[in-house]
Amino acid sequence: MASRNANRLDTVIMNYKDIRREFDEYKAQSEKKMKVLQALHQQAQVLMDDLKEQIAYLEELAGMEVVEDLTPVTEGTTQSEADGGEDAMVIGPAIPKDDAEEEEYQKKKIKSDSAKKLKPIKDVVNKVFQHLMGIERLEAKTLPSYPHGIDPANPQWPRDLVTSNPLMWFDWKRSIRDATNESGIKKIYSHIVSSSTALVPEAKQALLDITKDDLVEKIRSKWSYMASQWKTREKSMNELADRRQREEDPLDEAEQDENDMRVSKLYEDIDKIADPLPDKEKAMTKRKDGPVIKNSRPPVACLLANQICAWQVKPELLEEHPEWVDSK
């Protein structure tokens, strides 16, 4: 008998070990799959943010007057340099002259197309915007409004608390082609090229691979997205202020009468609507109050839906029966 029980125990232990091993294998596979899903989610989130920025950038361009310029602009040259003037920065692709240059151009374009989608490029653009604007996060609620009426040379202009250098703020109300905003875009680009690796060291290789065109496009896309966020915030704040103003301003007698007539008309229209379930009242169960039981505590409800709060009971009854509150 003891031997039989020992064999049964050994069988149970072996089955337990098998189940435990299968569970560990399943757990390990699940953890691997979870890590893959998390990585895919992060990539999708980065792609989604990039698409939002590109949409905002395209919307910004859609509201601009586009002037066609047939003057070729070579790689690494601004439109103003090509024209010999101080015009806004407009970047154009290199124009291949022969097959060798075409092949080299296509290689650079492929590398740049891959680089501009990488997270380090997005991070370095965001970090430089934050650094030069003097804010910790690029969110709608933290984007500063442009201080009209003063210029960066004015002592009242917002400055960096550490270096006392004037901060770079944008005029979100205006187009990206505005002189103030265009100048800021140039400063962002110059700072990324000159010293951004100190802020985001992992962006070094991506910055070597990305072309000037693509980098400027990323900067402009980010600017347009922030501008749309700022405009949405300002619109919401203005609507809230208008609503509060309407609530605070008393209505005159004529407006009050008009509102009363609207409410009366609304009730009349509601009363004219036929009851969609006229027989519903017949299905109701009629109930009546039971006999009054004196000197008894209210029953304690077991379900939360059946419980009542102290504020639902008449104050004078609670004063007469303090034990009701203490009853368990």
Side-chain angles (χ1 to χ4, degrees):
M1 185 66 180
S3 177
R4 184 181 303 174
N5 290 337
N7 291 335
R8 289 179 179 177
L9 180 60
D10 291 341
T11 303
V12 170
I13 293 175
M14 291 178 62
N15 291 337
Y16 169 78
K17 290 182 177 179
D18 291 340
I19 294 173
R20 182 66 186 183
R21 185 179 63 257
E22 293 177 359
F23 173 77
D24 291 340
E25 292 176 355
Y26 173 78
K27 182 179 179 182
Q29 293 176 0
S30 300
E31 290 176 350
K32 291 181 180 179
K33 292 179 179 179
M34 184 60 67
K35 291 180 179 178
V36 172
L37 290 175
Q38 289 175 347
L40 292 175
H41 175 73
Q42 291 178 353
Q43 294 177 4
Q45 189 64 43
V46 171
L47 179 60
M48 181 66 69
D49 292 341
D50 288 342
L51 290 175
K52 288 180 179 179
E53 294 175 4
Q54 292 176 25
I55 290 172
Y57 177 49
L58 292 175
E59 289 176 346
E60 181 74 22
L61 291 179
M64 298 177 185
E65 180 182 0
V66 180
V67 180
E68 184 176 4
D69 187 354
L70 301 180
T71 304
V73 182
T74 58
E75 182 76 18
T77 305
T78 64
Q79 184 69 48
S80 59
E81 292 170 349
D83 296 340
E86 295 294 333
D87 200 2
M89 176 171 54
V90 180
I91 308 302
I95 308 298
K97 297 180 179 179
D98 51 33
D99 293 342
E101 286 191 7
E102 173 68 22
E103 183 178 357
E104 184 66 21
Y105 170 77
Q106 292 298 331
K107 289 181 180 180
K108 289 182 179 180
K109 188 175 185 303
I110 292 174
K111 292 177 68 176
S112 182
D113 287 342
S114 299
K116 69 181 182 181
K117 299 176 183 178
L118 298 177
K119 188 174 182 296
I121 291 294
K122 177 183 177 180
D123 291 343
V124 78
V125 171
N126 291 346
K127 286 289 185 182
V128 172
F129 266 110
Q130 291 172 238
H131 177 67
L132 296 184
M133 293 171 65
I135 57 179
E136 294 183 358
R137 299 180 67 85
L138 300 179
E139 298 176 348
K141 61 183 179 181
T142 60
L143 293 177
S145 300
Y146 189 78
H148 290 279
I150 57 176
D151 58 64
N154 193 307
Q156 295 182 354
W157 182 275
R159 297 179 178 275
D160 186 274
L161 297 178
V162 179
T163 64
S164 297
N165 293 329
L167 297 174
M168 187 188 63
W169 285 6
F170 294 95
D171 192 349
W172 308 110
K173 292 182 180 180
R174 298 183 179 273
S175 163
I176 195 173
R177 299 290 185 181
D178 177 76
T180 298
N181 298 327
E182 189 70 28
S183 174
I185 296 294
K186 288 183 179 180
K187 291 178 181 178
I188 293 288
Y189 174 80
S190 298
H191 195 87
I192 290 177
V193 173
S194 62
S195 56
S196 62
T197 52
L199 296 173
V200 186
E202 57 271 21
K204 182 177 181 180
Q205 184 58 48
L207 288 173
L208 293 175
D209 293 338
I210 194 170
T211 62
K212 189 174 185 178
D213 285 354
D214 288 339
L215 181 55
V216 172
E217 181 185 353
K218 293 290 290 185
I219 297 171
R220 291 179 181 272
S221 297
K222 185 61 182 181
W223 186 95
S224 300
Y225 179 64
M226 291 190 295
S228 66
Q229 284 187 308
W230 183 89
K231 292 174 182 176
T232 301
R233 183 194 73 184
E234 292 299 302
K235 181 180 179 181
S236 300
M237 292 176 63
N238 292 336
E239 291 176 350
L240 178 60
D242 292 342
R243 184 166 64 251
R244 289 178 176 175
Q245 187 65 33
R246 289 195 300 268
E247 293 174 353
E248 293 175 359
D249 292 342
L251 298 176
D252 57 30
E253 187 174 351
E255 291 177 330
Q256 186 64 49
D257 292 341
E258 183 179 355
N259 284 348
D260 292 342
M261 292 178 61
R262 289 178 179 175
V263 173
S264 299
K265 181 67 167 56
L266 177 62
Y267 283 132
E268 291 175 0
D269 293 341
I270 293 175
D271 291 338
K272 292 179 182 178
I273 299 175
D275 189 350
L277 299 173
D279 298 330
K280 188 69 175 178
E281 185 178 357
K282 297 179 181 179
M284 296 176 61
T285 301
K286 295 184 178 180
R287 303 183 184 277
K288 62 179 181 179
D289 295 335
V292 178
I293 303 176
K294 297 183 178 180
N295 301 325
S296 64
R297 292 185 176 185
V300 178
C302 297
L303 299 178
L304 181 61
N306 298 332
Q307 295 179 4
I308 61 174
C309 300
W311 60 267
Q312 296 174 290
V313 183
K314 294 181 178 180
E316 55 270 21
L317 291 178
L318 291 178
E319 293 179 0
E320 295 177 4
H321 303 281
E323 71 276 4
W324 288 0
V325 181
D326 299 332
S327 59
K328 303 294 183 182

